[in-house]
Amino acid sequence: MKYLTTSFRTDVDPQSGKLKTFKDLRLAEAVSITDAEATTVQYAGSGISVDAVRKYKVSEIIYNENDSSLPFYKAIVGIETFNEKSKKIKLTKTVVLVQANSVLDAVADVIAAWGKSTDWEILEVKKTPILEIIEPAKAA
């Protein structure tokens, strides 16, 4: 399974019911672009139009079990591996998506999930515009 960002537009404000164009970005768990678009329409309803679907490389998602309305942060983690052939240390980057209150909480959540070790380090953490993750089970 891979993740794709889906950008869609709706003309009705879900809270007030007024006509106004809103653009939202969600992350859909899907096997293809067509599947991500169908899952998004099924989840959000027929009153939307999907503007774009793009691949999003993420190796792990850390959810906040206490508050599902928190924003998502993208943490780039560098993992050190030793290459026996070249006798050099190689840094491989991977992306972890973290649902947290702040950058500091996101860093703490990655450390809690990955454990304290010297063979990896957090290289960058930044807030994403992703509002939620749509899984096939949620869309049905």
Side-chain angles (χ1 to χ4, degrees):
M1 195 65 71
K2 57 185 169 184
Y3 293 95
L4 299 109
T5 57
T6 57
S7 173
F8 64 90
R9 196 180 301 242
T10 182
D11 292 329
V12 179
D13 182 356
Q15 294 175 348
S16 69
K18 293 181 181 178
L19 288 176
K20 185 177 180 182
T21 301
F22 286 94
K23 213 171 177 185
D24 284 334
L25 186 68
R26 303 282 200 276
L27 193 67
E29 186 177 336
V31 292
S32 67
I33 290 174
T34 307
D35 185 34
E37 186 173 346
T39 302
T40 302
V41 170
Q42 185 179 8
Y43 175 75
S46 60
I48 67 157
S49 62
V50 177
D51 291 340
V53 179
R54 293 184 180 87
K55 291 180 183 177
Y56 193 84
K57 290 186 178 185
V58 61
S59 63
E60 182 179 352
I61 299 174
I62 301 171
Y63 293 96
N64 186 307
E65 295 173 7
N66 299 328
D67 189 358
S68 63
S69 67
L70 292 175
F72 285 93
Y73 290 84
K74 177 181 176 180
I76 299 175
V77 178
I79 304 168
E80 292 181 356
T81 55
F82 184 72
N83 187 329
E84 293 287 334
K85 221 176 201 183
S86 67
K87 305 287 187 214
K88 292 184 180 178
I89 294 176
K90 179 182 173 187
L91 187 68
T92 305
K93 294 179 183 176
T94 188
V95 174
V96 178
L97 207 56
V98 185
Q99 190 174 26
N101 249 343
S102 65
V103 172
L104 290 175
D105 287 346
V107 168
D109 290 347
V110 171
I111 292 170
W114 285 50
K116 292 185 179 181
S117 177
T118 58
D119 61 346
W120 66 270
E121 65 178 318
I122 298 172
L123 304 174
E124 178 183 337
V125 177
K126 63 181 176 180
K127 192 174 184 178
T128 69
I130 296 170
L131 298 176
E132 70 180 311
I133 298 172
I134 304 169
E135 297 168 356
K138 281 185 185 178

